[in-house]
Every structure is written in structure tokens, then in C-alpha cells.
């Protein structure tokens, strides 16, 4: 649903419990009790609908008779009655509803139909829904416990959203023991309306939430989810436990939630692309929750391990090693300080073994020295029961010391009865505690991974040394001709013609139906050649002896043709044989790769890169990526494979041209972006010889599609339809286009053209340069959420940016905030009007209704400029700022299309 506002659900002033009855043990009464016991201070209205006799009247009348409109309705009635209750809520102006009722799509077709009816009514009436089949929701700030959970968690900055009510109650119960607080606790259920994308958006904009935990069984509206997660993960860590890793688990998850499940490896890929941390178990989810809820995130991987027992220190070191990390080295200054403090036989290394007789003073002084050394990003304290050490005084001292530390200090105090009291002291002091060193290390590593994800998300991609060109029209015509005949597999020659049109290097390939034809074509191509079987019924040609290589003469071709026909008939007597492909043979390749794409049922096209050749399935060395790809994303795909090390050069084999491989992956990406009818694309092998890649075997499978290009993707691609050629007022040619990730250098150069006044007016502060994080935020945008156009000099071969304008849309899709920046030398030439005008025109076409922006009061030129485009200024007397607003439903930008240079 396009309606975004969830405030009336999570911050209601009045709640109606529909299903509360005179029966003491009813579900509705339990919900009433939880609301009251939680301390909710708003109005609570119990409603007992009697649909058997008076359809809906009691519900509607009760809500209408309330002193003010009901913000939230909690529905706990049989699901067959919910559709009518939704009608009542809409008629009464209710803000939103939580549907506790089960019996929806998880039960089969009848339940699915009921949910569909509920969804259609809610959408038409603008009513937001959580559920059905859910436990309910909790907001600790407003003391709202609209759930089955009888106990209210303590306040905190961690939000938890789960499809499983059972997981909710388990995590909630554990949180009481470990003293973990939450801002929100949400059982999202079957997601007939509010889904994970909505919740990420909502919590991302909630100042009381600093991190988000998700338990996911399946995703709906995946493009919205990816868009929300990519935006929010830059400012708040998101940790996901996604069930259904195994095939049996995926089936169980599907039957539980009534939805289809995609391949688990694709979920991994999507989560990484979105900057999400994925954990594998409930224990890991809870361990991450404890670290996130109680400490600041680590800024790096440098960990100090302080232990009073050597063995657990070794276990912690091994656990780090399993993740490719090691304890941080001790500086010379820290070592000398520890020499002065610790007994002669301390470890003199990290882990810092302070020995079994360590008392409170030794323990705490070591912690302080490590903290003061500036050498670490976290400290793990390990304690085991020792005769000379009383854990409780140490815990009390650590609790007092750790309150204001700049990085995580966490504990693995191993033991049972002797450690219980001390661990309780640590939990009370908000120090994360773990039963084993391995669990402590795993939680730390997950948080380190989040920091690395942030670095990758903000890394500035470089440009390729040359622009990639594609013959879109040729491929369109080829596919259209084939689809008229039949969907399905193209021949190898047809497949390679399409690949070649998109600049993917292929070897010369022709088709031959007879032995004589094969010899003739081999002579034209030139020896040596290769012959390969063509049959839609035999996927793996090698298994049918359908591949013959390095054929040096006419006789060799004749012999190979006969053997291919015999082998195919023996392998599958019923197979349809179309002939053979005759190909240029490239001898002794340095490397063989697999590159391709396959359409996933949930995520659309997925790019594949890995080790190729006949051992592809055995080696299982592959990496996945989601289009669209940039050079940086293509490089990361390759780096995630074992074959990447070989491609750097091995023994006497030369290294591969990595930029050529990046370009090849980007060309494959663009091909499946442009043509959603490509269901499978397989190039195996892509051989690399003398550094350069070339596809020597390829096939493409087509299928009928309903959606046009770009809508089949879960990440919005570059919108080339927003490219325009314009002229400035003085006749200069300019090129207006959407911003690209690789435009960061252009931004740096534009910034140099700004006066200090222009900088202050745009950024509301004095700045000498743009930080890398800011550059990434300006250039690495989500085209679904932002409209950002830049103006370039169209008369120069070297790109030069004159300015940029953008609108960042709110998640409701109805409003957005604008900004504009034009370099000082180009003020007064009409660039700003054309640039912002085009942005507003696109916003209007996207059904955005309102756009606003904040301007400093003294920026009179910007205020006057806004008026010329139709903005209305409103003063904010408290802040000394002016807000410019425009109603796009009434705005007219037809003047832009009257320019003959536009297009």
C-alpha cells in the first residue's frame, strides 16, 4: 500500500479492542489486560461485535460514540468476521488495525481469499493493517502493549520485528534475563499490508531506535524492502535471521507463512547488497541483540582479550581466526605498562593472560590500560572460577568503569553457580555477557561486519576506462522474432549474436545441419575448429559426447560430426537433433570461468560468476550479484570466489584483465536489465587467454513476461529516460541526466567552484571539502526514492558539472524535499530553472503531490528563484529559516517541453 503513516498504529491516543467479551478467558480480554497492565495512558474501548444478529452496527456505533476517533483497533475475532470489521473501522475514521486473528493464507486457498478481501477493502479505505496471524505490537515509549505478551519489556533503542509469534515470545523472555531493552516489539504476521519494508522505513525514521532486528520467513514487495534497507542500513545496523536455509526449511517456512521462498543464496546476496547483517541461529540473533542494545558499535576489528585463564583465551583466538581475524597486537608502550603491572609470567601478548591469581585491582587496571592505549576497538573480558578471585567485586568494578567507554566492553564469564551473581551484576550494568568465548567473538564479528558493510556502501566506485556501448535495437528485434515463434532456448549461434550485440566477446560460431555443411563452414572459419551438438533436449553436451575440440582438417570434422550424431542418439534416442555448431577453437586457455544469469522467482535476475568448465558443479565456486552492477560491485563478485586468486596470475599463467572481466559482468547485467524475457543466460566456459575473456559456449532461454523492463528488478536501474539536451539562456548546450555512482569526482570539482557564501547557503555550515561519506550519499542513490539530475557541459569532450537538483521522496510517495546547487560561474544562465524544473516535472509524473525545501532567510536569491517556479515561501520565526512549498497537483511545467533542444 502506498499509504505510509503508521503513527496512529504505534503511537495511538485511543485503542479499541474488538473481541473483548463478558467471557473472562477471551482473547480480547487478555489483550485488554495487557494494555492496562502495560501502563497505556490513552483511552481503551472494549467492543464485543455480535455479527450473527446485528452485522457491524455495534462495532461502528461504539467507535463513533467515542469522544474522539479511535487511532488503533485490535481485532481478535474469527477471521471470517474481519472483513466486515475493517469496513466499520474505515467508516469510523480509525487510523489503523492490528489483526490478531489466524486462519488466513497459511490455511490454504479459502484463507488466502479472505486475506485478499481484507487487503482490498483496507487499501481502498486507507486503513493500515498489521497482521493477520500475529502476536501484536509493543511500543515501550508510549507504554503500548497491544499484544499477547503479558510482560512489558524495558525501554531501549533496539527494535525487533518478527513473522513468528513464537520467536517473539522467546526473544522477549530472554531479554528479561539479560536486561535488554526495546523501543518496539512487532509481530508482523502474514503481512497483508504492513511488511518488513514499511517497518524498516518507520523504524529508520524513529529517533528512539538505534538498531533493528528482523526474523524473516519470507519477503513480499522485495523491491520496497531492498529500497528501505539500503537507505536505513547506512545509519542504523539491521540484523536478520532468515529461516528456510535448507530445502526442507524453505518448504516449512512457506507452509507457515503461505508464501513462496527463493533460493537461500540469493537472500544472502540481497542482504549483503542492502548492507544487512545475516545471522544463522536464534542464539546468534540474540547475541547480536545484546551487543547492539548495550554498547556502541565497534569502529574496527581490533580486539583486546583479557583473561584469567589461558585456555579460554586460546578458544577466543581460534574463534577470531575462523573469521579471518586475529587479536590486535600490543603496542610497545602498552606492553611496557603491562610489564610494570602484571606478574613476570604474564603472556606478553594478546590474549592478555593476567594469570589465575588476578584480583580486582589487577583485572581493572589491565582494562583501563587497554582502553587508554587507543589500540583497540573492543575489549572482551574472560573470567573463569579461580580460588583466589572473587568474581562479584570484579564485576562491580567493571560495571562502574564501563559506563562511559567509547567502544564495546563485553564479557564471557564462564561457569555456573560461582558466576551467577557476578553475571547478574554485569547484565544490570548493561554489559553484554556470553556463556562462551566463541559466542562473544561471533557477536563482535557480526558488528565488525556491519562496519565493513558501511565502508563498502560508501566506497566511491571508479569509472571504466571506456564507455560501454550496447546495440539495444538489434537484440530487441532478435528476441521479438524468436518470441513470435516460441519461447524457450535459443541456439548457440543465436545466443552469441545477442551477446555480441551487447559487446560480450564470443568466438566465431555458425550452425550446420549436415556433415557437408559442417566441413564448408569449418573451412570458412579456419582451422582449428570445434564441433558441438545442438539439441534442445540435451543440456550437457559433454555427457552425450557432443563436444569435439581442436579439429584440424576436413576429415576430422567429418569424423566428429558422425560421432556427435551417434553419441546423441545413444544418450537420448528421443532427443531432437538440430545439427552442430561449428566454432573457432581457441587452444590452451589460461582460465575457464562460468558467467551467466538466472531469473529468481522472488528477486528477479541474478548474475552468477565462478569457476567454469566441466567441473563447475563439483567445485561449487560461485558468487552471486543483483543487477544493476557497477565496476565496484562486479569486482566484489569476483573477489568472493576462489578462482579470483588464480586470475591474479598463477605460475606461468598471465593475470586476467580484471577491467575486461568487470566490463563483461556489467554487460551481462545490462542485458538482463533491458530484457526481462531472458530467463536464463549461461556462458560456460568463458575462457581467458592472454588476459582477455571470451565466451566459447553460450545459451539463452526466453520466457513470456508481463512486466516491462526495470519492473522485474528489485533494485531500480539507471533511468535513462530522464536524459535531456537543453540550452542555457546564453545558448550553451547542456546535458541533463540522472546522477551516477561514479560521478563523485565531478562533485569534487563542482565544490571548488562554489564561493563560501554558496557553500553556507546550501549546507547551512562552513565546509572546506566534501567528505567521502557525503559524496557517497549524493551519488549512490536509490532511483526509486530520489530524483537527482545533474547538468553537464554538452559542448566539451571532458565532463564538467554545472549543478545538481534533487527531490528526496518521503516513504509515503506523496511528498518530498528538494535541494539545488549551481556552481557560482554559471549563476543567472537559466540552468537552475531547467534542472529543478525537470526534477519537479518527473516528481509530478510520479504522482508526488507536495515538495518543500528549507532556505536560510538571508538567501534572498534562492527565495526569489523559488517563487518563479511556483514555490510559496513560509517563514519559521524560531529558526530564522524559510520553507519553500509547491503543490505539484496544480503546477505546470509544460514550458520545459517547448524547448526544441529538449528530449
Amino acid at each position: 500500500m502506498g499509504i505510509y503513516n503508521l503513527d496512529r498504529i504505534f503511537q495511538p491516543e485511543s485503542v479499541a479492542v474488538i473481541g473483548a467479551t463478558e467471557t473472562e478467558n477471551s482473547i480480547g480480554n487478555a489483550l485488554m489486560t495487557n494494555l492496562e497492565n502495560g501502563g497505556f495512558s490513552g483511552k481503551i474501548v472494549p467492543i464485543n461485535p455480535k455479527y450473527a444478529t446485528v452485522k457491524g452496527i455495534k462495532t461502528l456505533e461504539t467507535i463513533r460514540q467515542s469522544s474522539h476517533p479511535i487511532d488503533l483497533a485490535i481485532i481478535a475475532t474469527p477471521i471470517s468476521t474481519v472483513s466486515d470489521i475493517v469496513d466499520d473501522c474505515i467508516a469510523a475514521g480509525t487510523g489503523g488495525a492490528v489483526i490478531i486473528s489466524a486462519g488466513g493464507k497459511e490455511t490454504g486457498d479459502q484463507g488466502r481469499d479472505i486475506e485478499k478481501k481484507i487487503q482490498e477493502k483496507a487499501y481502498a479505505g486507507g486503513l493500515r493493517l498489521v497482521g493477520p496471524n500475529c502476536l501484536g505490537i509493543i511500543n515501550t515509549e508510549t507504554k503500548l502493549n497491544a499484544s499477547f505478551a503479558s510482560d512489558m519489556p524495558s525501554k531501549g533503542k533496539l527494535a525487533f520485528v518478527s513473522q513468528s509469534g513464537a520467536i517473539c515470545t522467546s526473544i522477549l523472555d530472554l531479554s528479561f534475563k539479560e536486561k535488554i531493552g526495546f523501543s518496539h516489539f512487532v509481530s508482523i504476521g502474514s503481512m497483508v499490508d504492513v511488511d518488513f519494508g514499511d517497518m524498516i522505513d518507520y523504524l529508520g525514521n524513529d529517533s528512539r531506535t538505534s538498531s533493528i532486528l528482523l526474523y524473516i520467513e519470507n519477503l513480499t514487495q522485495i523491491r520496497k524492502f531492498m529500497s528501505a534497507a539500503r537507505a536505513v542500513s547506512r545509519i542504523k545496523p539491521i540484523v536478520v535471521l532468515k529461516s528456510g536455509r535448507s530445502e526442507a526449511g524453505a518448504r516449512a517456512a512457506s507452509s507457515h507463512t503461505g508464501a513462496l521462498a527463493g533460493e537461500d543464496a540469493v537472500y544472502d546476496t540481497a542482504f549483503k547488497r542492502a548492507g544487512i547483517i545475516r545471522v544463522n541461529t536464534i542464539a546468534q540473533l540474540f547475541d547480536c541483540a545484546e551487543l547492539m542494545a548495550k554498547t556502541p558499535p565497534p569502529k574496527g576489528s581490533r580486539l583486546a582479550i583479557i583473561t584469567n585463564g589461558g585456555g579460554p583465551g586460546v578458544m577466543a583466538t581460534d574463534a577470531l581466526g575462523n573469521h579471518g581475524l586475529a587479536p590486535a597486537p600490543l603496542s610497545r608502550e602498552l606492553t611496557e605498562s603491562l610489564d610494570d603491572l602484571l606478574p613476570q609470567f604474564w603472556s606478553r601478548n594478546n590474549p592478555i593472560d593476567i594469570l589465575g591469581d588476578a584480583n580486582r585491582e589487577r583485572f581493572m587496571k589491565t582494562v583501563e590500560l587497554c582502553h587508554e592505549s587507543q589500540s583497540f576497538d573492543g575489549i572482551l573480558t574472560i573470567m573463569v572460577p579461580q580460588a583466589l578471585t572473587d568474581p562479584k567485586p570484579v564485576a562491580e568494578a567493571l560495571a562502574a568503569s564501563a559506563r562511559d567507554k567509547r567502544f564495546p566492553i563485553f564479557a564471557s564469564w564462564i561457569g555456573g553457580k560461582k558466576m551467577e551473581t557476578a553475571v547478574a551484576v554485569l547484565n544490570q550494568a548493561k554489559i553484554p555477557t556470553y556463556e562462551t568465548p566463541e559466542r562473544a567473538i561471533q557477536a563482535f564479528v557480526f558488528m565488525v561486519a556491519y562496519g565493513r558493510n558501511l565502508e563498502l556502501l560508501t566506497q566511491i566506485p571508479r569509472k571504466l576506462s571506456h564507455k560501454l556501448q550496447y546495440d539495444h535495437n538489434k537484440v530487441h528485434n532478435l528476441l521479438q522474432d524468436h518470441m513470435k515463434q516460441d519461447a524457450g532456448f535459443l541456439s548457440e549461434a543465436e545466443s552469441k549474436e545477442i551477446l555480441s550485440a551487447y559487446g560480450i566477446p564470443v568466438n566465431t560460431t555458425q550452425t550446420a545441419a549436415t556433415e557437408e555443411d559442417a566441413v564448408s563452414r569449418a573451412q570458412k572459419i579456419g582451422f582449428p575448429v570445434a564441433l558441438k551438438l545442438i539439441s534442445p533436449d540435451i543440456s550437457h553436451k559433454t555427457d552425450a559426447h557432443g563436444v569435439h575440440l581442436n579439429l584440424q582438417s576436413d576429415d576430422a570434422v567429418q569424423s566428429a560430426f558422425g560421432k556427435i550424431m551417434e553419441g546423441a542418439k545413444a544418450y537420448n534416442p528421443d532427443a531432437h537433433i538440430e545439427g552442430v555448431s561449428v566454432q573457432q577453437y581457441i587452444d590452451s586457455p589460461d582460465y575457464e570461468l562460468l558467467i551467466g544469469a538466472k531469473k529468481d522467482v522472488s528477486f528477479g535476475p541474478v548474475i552468477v560468476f565462478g569457476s567454469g568448465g566441466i567441473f563447475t558443479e563439483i567445485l561449487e565456486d560461485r558468487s552471486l550479484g543483483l543487477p544493476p552492477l557497477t565496476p565496484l560491485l562486479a569486482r566484489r563478485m569476483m573477489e568472493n570466489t576462489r578462482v579470483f586468486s588464480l586470475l591474479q596470475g598463477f605460475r606461468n599463467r598471465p593475470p586476467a584483465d580484471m577491467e575486461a572481466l568487470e566490463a563483461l559482468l556489467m554487460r551481462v547485467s545490462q542485458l538482463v536489465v533491458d530484457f526481462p524475457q531472458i530467463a536464463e543466460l549461461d556462458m560456460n566456459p568463458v575462457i581467458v587467454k592472454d588476459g582477455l575473456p571470451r565466451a566459447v559456449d553460450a545459451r539463452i532461454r526466453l520466457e513470456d513476461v508481463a512486466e516491462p523492463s526495470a519492473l522485474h528488478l528489485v533494485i531500480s536501474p539507471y533511468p535513462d529516460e530522464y536524459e535531456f539536451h537543453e540550452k542555457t539562456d546564453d545558448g550553451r548546450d547542456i546535458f541533463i541526466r540522472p546522477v551516477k555512482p561514479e560521478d563523485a569526482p565531478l562533485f569534487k570539482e563542482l565544490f571548488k567552484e562554489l564561493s563560501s557564501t554558496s557553500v553556507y547557503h546550501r549546507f547551512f555550515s562552513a565546509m572546506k571539502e566534501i567528505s567521502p561519506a557525503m559524496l557517497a550519499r549524493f551519488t549512490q542513490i536509490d532511483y526509486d526514492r530520489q530524483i537527482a539530475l545533474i547538468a553537464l557541459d554538452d559542448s566539451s569532450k571532458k565532463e564538467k558539472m554545472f549543478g545538481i537538483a534533487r527531490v528526496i521522496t518521503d516513504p509515503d510517495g506523496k511528498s518530498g524535499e528538494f535541494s539545488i546547487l549551481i556552481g557560482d560561474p554559471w549563476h543567472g544562465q537559466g540552468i537552475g530553472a531547467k534542472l529543478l524544473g525537470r526534477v519537479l516535472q518527473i516528481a509530478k509524473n510520479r504522482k508526488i503531490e507536495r515538495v518543500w525545501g528549507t532556505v536560510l532567510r538571508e538567501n534572498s536569491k534562492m527565495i526569489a528563484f523559488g517563487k518563479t517556479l511556483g514555490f510559496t515561501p513560509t517563514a519559521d520565526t524560531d529558526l530564522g529559516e524559510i520553507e519553500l512549498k509547491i503543490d505539484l497537483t496544480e503546477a505546470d511545467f509544460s514550458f520545459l517541453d517547448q524547448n526544441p533542444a529538449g528530449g
Side-chain angles (χ1 to χ4, degrees):
M1 295 175 73
I3 308 151
Y4 169 66
N5 188 9
L6 300 180
D7 285 342
R8 292 183 71 186
I9 290 180
F10 290 101
Q11 301 178 49
E13 295 181 4
S14 54
V15 177
V17 181
I18 303 175
T21 69
E22 291 82 11
T23 305
E24 185 176 345
N25 294 323
S26 73
I27 294 174
N29 286 1
L31 290 164
M32 288 281 297
T33 301
N34 291 345
L35 271 170
E36 293 165 352
N37 292 345
F40 179 66
S41 59
K43 185 177 180 63
I44 302 175
V45 181
I47 298 176
N48 176 19
K50 298 179 180 178
Y51 278 88
T53 55
V54 187
K55 181 185 176 185
I57 292 177
K58 188 171 182 64
T59 308
L60 184 57
E61 285 183 349
T62 305
I63 292 177
R64 281 180 170 171
Q65 290 169 7
S66 176
S67 57
H68 50 75
I70 296 295
D71 291 317
L72 172 63
I74 308 173
I75 303 173
T77 64
I79 199 163
S80 58
T81 68
V82 172
S83 173
D84 292 320
I85 294 175
V86 165
D87 283 336
D88 292 344
C89 290
I90 292 169
T94 305
V98 174
I99 304 174
I100 304 294
S101 319
K105 61 186 175 185
E106 73 275 5
T107 64
D109 290 341
Q110 183 177 357
R112 195 181 304 275
D113 291 341
I114 291 173
E115 283 195 9
K116 184 178 180 182
K117 188 176 181 181
I118 293 169
Q119 183 183 49
E120 289 172 349
K121 287 187 174 183
Y123 184 91
L127 182 73
R128 297 308 308 258
L129 302 176
V130 174
N133 189 23
C134 73
L135 186 77
I137 64 173
I138 295 174
N139 181 348
T140 58
E141 179 67 22
T142 59
K143 297 183 179 180
L144 172 72
N145 184 0
S147 78
F148 277 140
S150 56
D151 295 314
M152 189 83 161
S154 59
K155 283 186 182 181
K157 292 202 165 190
L158 182 65
F160 182 64
V161 184
S162 170
Q163 270 180 292
S164 166
I167 298 294
C168 276
T169 55
S170 301
I171 294 291
L172 188 58
D173 195 49
L174 281 168
S175 73
F176 295 123
K177 175 186 173 185
E178 298 294 330
K179 307 297 182 185
I180 297 175
F182 293 90
S183 64
H184 297 78
F185 218 88
V186 181
S187 171
I188 205 168
S190 297
M191 301 187 298
V192 72
D193 171 26
V194 175
D195 58 17
F196 284 107
D198 291 312
M199 288 308 307
I200 291 172
D201 265 327
Y202 182 77
L203 296 169
N205 284 281
D206 178 52
S207 61
R208 297 176 299 105
T209 299
S210 62
S211 47
I212 301 169
L213 288 177
L214 307 175
Y215 172 77
I216 295 175
E217 291 176 351
N218 68 83
L219 288 174
T220 59
Q221 300 192 65
I222 295 178
R223 181 155 167 164
K224 181 173 74 173
F225 170 86
M226 291 292 292
S227 178
R230 290 172 67 211
V232 173
S233 66
R234 293 172 182 262
I235 55 174
K236 300 180 182 183
I238 302 174
V239 177
V240 167
L241 172 59
K242 165 68 175 69
S243 62
R245 276 189 175 273
S246 67
E247 191 172 327
R251 286 196 301 271
S254 298
S255 62
H256 185 200
T257 58
L260 295 173
E263 184 183 353
D264 190 68
V266 184
Y267 275 97
D268 266 340
T269 301
F271 291 151
K272 288 177 184 176
R273 181 74 179 267
I276 291 173
I277 306 161
R278 182 176 188 179
V279 299
N280 302 317
T281 65
I282 293 176
Q284 289 176 355
L285 183 71
F286 190 79
D287 289 345
C288 276
E290 184 160 8
L291 200 64
M292 293 162 63
K294 295 180 177 179
T295 70
K299 295 181 179 179
S301 61
R302 302 174 304 168
L303 182 65
I305 302 170
I306 301 172
T307 177
N308 71 337
V314 174
M315 292 163 59
T317 302
D318 286 345
L320 278 174
N322 290 338
H323 297 282
L325 300 174
L330 305 182
S331 66
R332 180 175 57 81
E333 293 79 9
L334 178 57
T335 303
E336 291 174 354
S337 297
L338 291 172
D339 279 337
D340 294 338
L341 169 69
L342 300 176
Q344 179 181 358
F345 299 109
W346 77 281
S347 60
R348 304 197 87 253
N349 208 335
N350 189 10
I352 303 169
D353 186 351
I354 60 176
L355 304 182
D357 61 347
N359 57 17
R360 179 178 65 175
E361 181 181 358
R362 188 190 301 172
F363 205 103
M364 292 310 305
K365 187 62 177 174
T366 304
V367 171
E368 291 300 322
L369 287 173
C370 288
H371 184 264
E372 293 168 1
S373 73
Q374 307 290 315
S375 301
F376 304 110
D377 301 303
I379 297 175
L380 169 61
T381 65
I382 299 176
M383 179 176 282
V384 296
Q386 301 277 14
L388 299 178
T389 304
D390 185 353
K392 185 180 178 184
V394 180
E396 291 171 341
L398 187 61
S401 170
R403 287 175 189 150
D404 301 319
K405 293 296 185 282
R406 57 185 170 81
F407 55 53
I409 295 180
F410 52 113
S412 176
W413 289 27
I414 307 168
K417 187 174 181 180
K418 288 187 177 181
M419 287 293 178
E420 283 179 354
T421 305
V423 169
V425 170
L426 296 176
N427 282 328
Q428 191 67 40
K430 306 295 185 185
I431 294 176
T433 60
Y434 300 94
E435 293 180 353
T436 66
E438 293 89 345
R439 287 180 65 174
I441 292 295
Q442 179 70 80
F444 178 76
V445 167
F446 279 131
M447 291 298 96
V448 170
Y450 170 69
R452 290 181 173 174
N453 283 350
L454 277 185
E455 290 179 9
L456 294 175
L457 286 172
T458 57
Q459 192 171 346
I460 305 300
R462 53 172 171 65
K463 284 188 176 182
L464 293 174
S465 59
H466 59 284
K467 186 176 181 179
L468 302 183
Q469 303 286 346
Y470 311 105
D471 193 340
H472 183 277
N473 290 336
K474 181 176 181 179
V475 174
H476 173 78
N477 293 334
L478 288 169
L479 295 184
Q480 196 171 45
D481 289 344
H482 189 86
M483 293 294 286
K484 287 178 181 176
Q485 305 168 29
D486 187 22
F489 283 103
L490 301 177
S491 70
E492 184 174 0
E494 291 170 326
S495 298
K496 287 182 176 177
E497 188 176 6
I498 287 171
L499 297 176
S500 182
Y502 262 58
I504 297 171
V506 298
N507 63 333
T508 305
T509 301
Q510 297 182 15
T511 301
T514 65
E515 181 179 295
E516 293 75 15
D517 195 14
V519 171
S520 173
R521 294 186 182 279
Q523 291 172 346
K524 291 179 181 178
I525 292 172
F527 294 104
V529 296
L531 260 61
K532 298 179 183 179
L533 170 68
I534 301 176
S535 171
D537 301 316
I538 300 177
S539 298
H540 298 288
K541 298 181 283 289
T542 304
D543 295 347
H545 303 287
V547 178
H548 289 252
L549 308 175
N550 199 17
L551 306 176
Q552 301 280 353
S553 65
D554 294 357
D555 291 342
V557 170
Q558 290 174 339
S559 175
F561 187 93
K563 291 178 180 178
I564 288 174
M565 296 300 115
E566 292 173 6
K569 291 177 182 177
Y571 182 79
N572 183 355
D574 297 325
H576 173 64
I577 310 300
E578 297 178 355
V580 299
S581 64
V582 185
Q583 306 179 15
Q584 171 193 12
Y585 177 68
I586 302 173
D587 192 18
S588 303
D590 297 313
Y591 312 102
E592 291 189 343
L593 302 173
L594 162 69
I595 297 176
K598 183 178 180 180
K599 188 178 292 186
D600 180 81
V601 65
S602 300
F603 290 88
V606 180
I607 313 297
V608 184
F609 174 90
S611 299
I614 60 174
F615 300 115
T616 295
E617 288 84 359
I618 300 297
L619 294 174
E620 292 187 340
D621 177 30
R622 65 169 187 171
S623 174
L624 306 182
L626 296 177
L629 294 180
T630 65
L632 181 62
L633 292 171
R635 176 64 67 98
R636 285 184 204 157
M637 276 188 67
M638 294 188 284
E639 289 172 347
N640 288 331
T641 61
R642 297 191 299 276
V643 76
F644 179 77
S645 297
L646 291 177
L647 294 173
Q648 309 309 301
F650 183 71
R651 294 185 177 174
N652 62 339
R653 298 187 181 188
D657 184 332
M658 301 310 296
E659 182 174 312
L661 285 172
E662 290 171 9
L664 197 158
L665 283 168
M666 290 175 65
R667 292 180 186 280
V668 171
S669 169
Q670 192 62 48
L671 183 60
V672 295
V673 165
D674 290 345
F675 298 100
Q677 56 267 53
I678 296 178
E680 289 182 41
L681 190 166
D682 185 62
M683 296 183 288
N684 183 23
V686 173
I687 66 169
V688 179
K689 186 175 176 66
D690 298 326
L692 298 177
R694 185 176 300 272
V696 297
D697 199 353
R699 67 174 186 169
I700 292 173
R701 183 174 68 84
L702 305 179
E703 66 179 14
D704 292 317
V705 292
E707 70 271 357
S709 175
L711 295 183
H712 64 302
L713 305 170
V714 295
I715 298 175
S716 179
Y718 175 83
D720 54 12
E721 66 269 25
Y722 298 149
E723 293 182 347
F724 308 93
H725 293 275
E726 306 270 12
K727 285 185 180 292
T728 64
D729 291 348
D730 62 357
R732 184 197 297 261
D733 291 324
I734 59 172
F735 178 39
I736 294 176
R737 65 162 172 81
V739 69
K740 299 178 181 179
E742 55 267 30
D743 286 334
L746 297 178
F747 272 83
K748 285 184 176 181
E749 293 301 315
L750 176 64
F751 191 83
K752 294 176 183 177
E753 302 287 354
L754 302 177
S755 65
S756 58
T757 301
S758 294
V759 170
Y760 187 76
H761 282 168
R762 170 59 183 87
F763 300 102
F764 291 24
S765 63
M767 292 171 49
K768 293 185 177 180
E769 62 181 6
I770 303 181
S771 68
M774 189 177 289
L775 281 172
R777 193 166 71 246
F778 286 162
T779 58
Q780 297 177 34
I781 70 168
D782 184 332
Y783 295 116
D784 282 341
R785 290 178 172 245
Q786 287 193 44
I787 306 163
L789 301 181
I790 64 174
L792 300 170
D793 186 350
D794 206 14
S795 60
S796 172
K797 291 183 178 179
K798 182 181 178 182
E799 284 189 318
K800 188 175 188 66
M801 189 193 297
F802 294 149
I804 179 169
R806 76 178 70 227
V807 166
I808 301 175
T809 59
D810 293 332
D812 65 357
K814 298 296 183 183
S815 58
E817 180 181 9
F818 87 91
S819 62
I820 184 169
L821 178 66
I822 305 295
D824 284 55
W826 307 292
H827 286 182
Q829 297 182 22
I831 297 175
K834 289 180 171 58
L835 201 52
L836 185 56
R838 286 294 184 188
V839 169
L840 295 174
Q841 183 184 51
I842 295 167
K844 181 180 174 74
N845 291 340
R846 289 189 180 184
K847 309 301 181 185
I848 295 172
E849 298 173 357
R850 301 170 301 279
V851 170
W852 59 275
T854 303
V855 181
L856 293 173
R857 186 186 297 273
E858 62 265 31
N859 192 357
S860 56
K861 290 183 178 179
M862 183 63 214
I863 296 169
F865 168 74
K867 289 180 179 179
T868 63
L869 283 179
F871 284 88
T872 301
T874 304
D876 187 324
T877 55
D878 294 331
L879 298 176
E881 297 171 350
I882 301 292
E883 191 170 86
L884 296 177
K885 299 179 182 178
I886 187 170
D887 183 348
L888 293 184
T889 61
E890 299 179 356
D892 181 11
F893 301 104
S894 58
F895 70 91
L896 292 167
D897 297 316
Q898 294 170 7
N899 183 349

